[in-house]
Amino acid sequence: MLFRSPPILKLLFSNSAVLHRSSSTTITYFFSSSAPSSSAFSDFLKRCKSSIKAKLVVAGGLSADPETACLHLVFWWNNLIKRGVLFRSYEHAFLLFREMLRLQWTPDGYTFPYVLKACGELSSFRRGESVHAFCVVTGHDANVFVRNGVIAMYGRCGALDHAHKVFDETVVRGIDDVISWNSIVAAYAHSQDFRRALGVFGSMIAKCDIELRPDVISLVNVLPACAPAKAWRLGKQIHGYAIRRGLYEDVFVGNAIVDMYAKCEQMNEANKVFERMEVKDVVSWNAMVTGYSQIGRFTEALGLFERMRHQEIELNVITWSAVIAGYAQRGFGYEALNVFKEMRLSGTRPNIVTLASVLSGCAAVGALRQGKETHCYAIKQMLSLEGNDPEEDLMVINGLIDMYAKCKNVEIARAMFDAIDCKDRNVVTWTVIIGAYAQHGDANEALELLSVMMKDDSYSIIPNGFTISCALMACARLASLRVGQQIHAYVLRNHYENCMLFVSNCLIDMYAKSGDIDKARKVFDVMTQRNTVSWTSLMTGYGMHGRGDDALQVFEKMRHGELVIDGVTFLVVLYACSHSGMVEKGMNYFNNMTRDHGVIPEIEHYACMVDLLGRAGRLDKAMKLIQDMPMEPTSIIWFSLLSACRVHKNVEIGEYAAAKLSELEAENDGSYTLLSNIYANARRWKDVARIRSLMKHSGIKKRPGCSWVQGKKGTAVFFVGDRRHPMSDKIYNLLADLIHRIKGMGYVPETSFALHDVDDEEKGDLLFEHSEKLALAYGILTSAPGMPIRITKNLRVCGDCHLAMTYISKIIDHEIILRDSSRFHHFKNGSCSCRGYW
C-alpha cells in the first residue's frame, strides 16, 4: 500500500488556525441561505463565537440520541466543507477540515473528496499527500470517490507519478472503474501531458467491456487533448466512437468535438458537427467563432456572430473576445478596436483576455492614442475589481509594455517594466522588453537585459523561444556575430525543439546580417522543418552579400516544393538580382511573376525594378517604367531613382526625382543628402549651399556617419574625426601609413565625397577621418592575423572609403567584411563582392 506514513499526518494539525466557535443563529443563517456568496462564507467564519460541538445539535433541532447526533454533526461538517469548495473558498474549507479533526470529529467517505478537491485547487501537494495518508490509515482509500479524488488531487498538483501509482494500484486490485480511468486521463490533460492522456484513453478503449466503457465525461476529458497533440485524426476516431455509442447527442460531447476540430484548424469538419447539433448552447457558438477567428476566416466568424445576434443567443465576453483576438492576431488592429467599441456599447464588460487582445491590436497597427485609451480603461477595470489575480494583472501589464514598444514609445515601456517588482516578472515580461529594444530601441540594451535576466538565478526565469528570437534580432541589427554564436550554442545545449523552426529562422537572419552567410546556409541545411520564412531569409542573405546566383538557385528549389510563392518571395528575388547586377534575369522574373505564379506586382516590386535598372545605369528605362506604372509612384520609387542618380551623376533626373519627393512631402535627411552629393559632384557649390540651407530651415539634420567594429576587447564605435578612443594615436598613425602605401599602388582619393568647396588636398584630409576608415584601422590593430575584420556602418559606405578598402585588402592579411545600410561588401585581394552594384 502507498503512503502508509502516520508521521505525515502531523501536517494536518501543525500551525492550525483555530476557527472561532459559532452561535446557533449564525449556523441557521448559513444553512438557510440558498446560495451564499464566498464573501458570505467568509463572514460566517468571522462571526462564529460559540462552541460548534455544543450548538450544532440545538441549531438543527436534531435527535438527542448520541449516535444519531454524531452522524448529523458529521453531516453538518461535510456541508460546511462542501460549501467552502463550491464557493471556491478552498483555504477556508481546508481549515474547517483541520478544525473538525482538532475537535475529534471523525471524517467519513463524503468528507475526503471535498478536502482533496480543496488541496488540488490550492496546488498544495504536502497537504494533499497528508490527507491521502489519513485516508489510507482510516481505510477510506478503498472508497471509489475518495480514490478518484486522490488521483485528481495529485493531477492538479502536477504530481503525475503519484497519480499514476494510485491508479495502477486500483487496476491491480481489480477495483478500477470508468471514474478511475476518467480521473487519470483528466490528470494528464490538466497537466498538459496530452500524449499520455491520449495513451491512457487508448488503453481504456482496449480494456473496454460492458462495465468499463468510456462515457460522456471520458470523451469530454480526452477530446481537448487532441488539439495540442496535433492528433485531430485520433479526435475523428473518438468522434466516430461517440456516434456509435449514442453519446453524440449530448451537448457537452458535441461542444468538445466542435472545439477539438476548431483548435486543430479543421473548421470544415467543425462546421459539419456544429450544423448537425440539435441542441446548441453559447459554448457551441463560441467554439466556432473562436476557431474561425484564429485562422483568419473573418467572413465566417462575423457571419456566425450576426447569426447569434439574430437568434438572440447571450453574446458573452468569450464571443466578443474571440473576434477581437482573431483580428488582433492577424494584424487587423483597427478592426479589433471597432469590435471592442461595439462590445462596450452592448454593455458586455471586457475581461483580462479582451484587454490583452485589444492592446495586441493597437500594437499591430501602432495605434498609440487608442492604446493609451485602453491603458486608462484597464486601470479603471482593475481598480473596480476586488481580489485581482496577480497573474491576470501581469498579463495586461505585459500587453501594455508590448503596445508602447511597438508604438515606438520605448521609454514608457521601460518605465512600466522597471515598476514591476523583480519577483513578479515572468518570462513574457522580459521577452516583451527585450523585443522592444531589439526592434525599436537600443539593440545593445536588449542584449544587456538578456544577460541580466539569465544571471538572476533567484527567480529562475528561463528564456523561451520568443526571448531567444528577440535576442537574435538584436544581434542581427548590431551584426554582433560573437554574441549570436553564444546564443546559438545556448539553444543547442538546452534543446529548444518545440520552437526550433522560428528560432532557426532567426539564426539564419542573424548569421546573414552578421556577415557569415555560409553559416546561415549550414543552419538552413540541418533544419528538419522549413517554412516560407526559412527560404526567403536565406535568399535575402545571399542577396545582401551579392551572391545572386546562389539566391536564385534557392528560389528554384523553393518553386519545385509545395510552398506558396507570394509577393514577398518575389521582392527577395528582385532584391538579389538588383544587388548582383542581374538585370535581364530580374526583368524576366518581374515580367512573368503574374503569369507563372499569379502574383500581381505591387509598388514595392516596381521600386525594386527601378533600383535594379538604376544601379545598372539604365536611368531612361527606369523613368519609362515609372511612367507606365498602373499606380501613382510613391516616395520609395522616387528615392530609388534619386539614389541611382547619385551613383551615375545624373543631375537632371536627380532634380526631377527630388522635386517629386518634395511634392509628396517625403523629404528626409537621406534625400537632401543625395541631392547635395549630386550637386557637389557636379561642383555646383551654390546649389549645395541652398540644399543645406533648406535642411537647416526645415529642421532636418543629417544623421552622423557611425561605424562599429568587433575586436578582441569588444565592440568599438567611431564617428567621423573621432579621437576619443584610447588607441587614437595608433589608429591614425596606422591609417596614415596605409594611405601612404596604397597611394603608391595607384589609389587616388575620390574627393567628390568630401562635399566641401575646398581644394582637393583639404578634401583628402577630410576623407582620411571617415568613420569606416577609423574602424578598419582599429580592427587591424586588434584582430588576430588572418581573422576577418567585421565593420558595420549606419549609412551607405562612402565611395572613397570603398575604393581605399579595395586597395588596402591587397596589403593586409585579413578579409574586410563591411555591412552598410544597403548591403554587404567583402573586400579581399583587391576586389569587392559588390562588383560596383551598391
Side-chain angles (χ1 to χ4, degrees), residues 197-302:
L198 294 171
V200 172
F201 181 78
S203 300
M204 182 182 184
I205 293 288
K207 190 178 178 179
C208 185
D209 54 38
I210 295 175
E211 296 180 356
L212 182 61
R213 285 182 176 176
D215 58 10
V216 167
I217 303 300
S218 310
L219 302 188
V220 170
N221 280 340
V222 76
L223 281 165
C226 294
K230 298 181 180 179
W232 72 268
R233 288 183 176 83
L234 177 58
K236 195 166 188 176
Q237 293 174 14
I238 297 171
H239 176 189
Y241 175 86
I243 294 173
R244 292 194 302 274
R245 282 290 319 279
L247 303 174
Y248 177 72
E249 300 301 325
D250 187 283
V251 68
F252 296 104
V253 174
N255 288 345
I257 293 171
V258 169
D259 189 61
M260 179 274 297
Y261 281 130
K263 287 178 178 173
C264 290
E265 300 186 359
Q266 302 295 316
M267 289 308 300
N268 292 336
E269 295 293 331
N271 188 58
K272 288 177 187 176
V273 177
F274 175 78
E275 294 298 348
R276 290 172 184 166
M277 288 174 67
E278 293 185 8
V279 179
K280 301 182 183 75
D281 59 14
V282 71
V283 176
S284 323
W285 292 87
N286 285 344
M288 291 297 295
V289 173
T290 303
Y292 278 128
S293 296
Q294 287 179 343
I295 63 172
R297 290 171 63 174
F298 298 116
T299 302
E300 291 96 331
L302 295 174

Side-chain angles (χ1 to χ4, degrees), residues 309-326:
R309 285 177 167 175
H310 292 151
Q311 296 182 26
E312 298 184 352
I313 297 169
E314 204 228 306
L315 285 171
N316 61 13
V317 66
I318 297 174
T319 320
W320 288 103
S321 299
V323 176
I324 293 169

Side-chain angles (χ1 to χ4, degrees), residues 64-101:
D65 177 66
E67 289 187 11
T68 306
C70 284
L71 289 173
H72 280 294
L73 288 168
V74 172
F75 166 78
W76 289 120
W77 277 110
N78 288 347
N79 268 282
L80 288 173
I81 294 168
K82 175 183 175 181
R83 290 257 170 163
V85 172
L86 290 178
F87 297 105
R88 300 183 181 180
S89 294
Y90 303 116
E91 186 68 31
H92 288 146
F94 187 79
L95 292 177
L96 276 166
F97 175 64
R98 288 207 302 203
E99 184 67 3
M100 180 183 184
L101 296 180

Side-chain angles (χ1 to χ4, degrees), residues 170-200:
T170 65
V171 174
V172 170
R173 292 165 64 187
I175 55 174
D176 57 317
D177 55 11
V178 173
I179 300 175
S180 306
W181 286 87
N182 289 348
S183 297
I184 192 65
V185 170
Y188 282 122
H190 179 265
S191 298
Q192 298 188 341
D193 192 342
F194 302 111
R195 294 198 176 277
R196 291 189 73 179
L198 294 171
V200 172

Side-chain angles (χ1 to χ4, degrees), residues 741-811:
R741 290 175 64 186
I742 63 175
K743 280 184 176 179
M745 298 166 61
Y747 161 71
V748 177
E750 290 274 1
T751 54
S752 62
F753 289 94
L755 305 181
H756 291 276
D757 187 12
V758 294
D759 61 39
D760 285 349
E761 187 175 350
E762 274 189 82
K763 286 183 178 181
D765 293 337
L766 292 169
L767 294 170
F768 181 79
E769 299 180 340
H770 278 195
S771 64
E772 51 264 63
K773 288 192 180 80
L774 299 177
L776 173 60
Y778 174 80
I780 295 171
L781 288 168
T782 58
S783 297
M787 292 299 294
I789 298 173
R790 303 178 186 277
I791 302 169
T792 307
K793 185 173 181 180
N794 64 332
L795 305 176
R796 287 187 63 171
V797 63
C798 156
D800 177 71
C801 291
H802 188 276
L803 178 63
M805 288 185 181
T806 304
Y807 275 96
I808 290 171
S809 69
K810 289 184 178 182
I811 58 175

Side-chain angles (χ1 to χ4, degrees), residues 628-646:
D628 293 341
M629 282 172 53
M631 69 281 287
E632 283 296 313
T634 60
S635 59
I636 189 174
I637 297 289
W638 297 117
F639 192 85
S640 295
L641 185 63
L642 182 60
S643 181
C645 292
R646 162 68 186 89

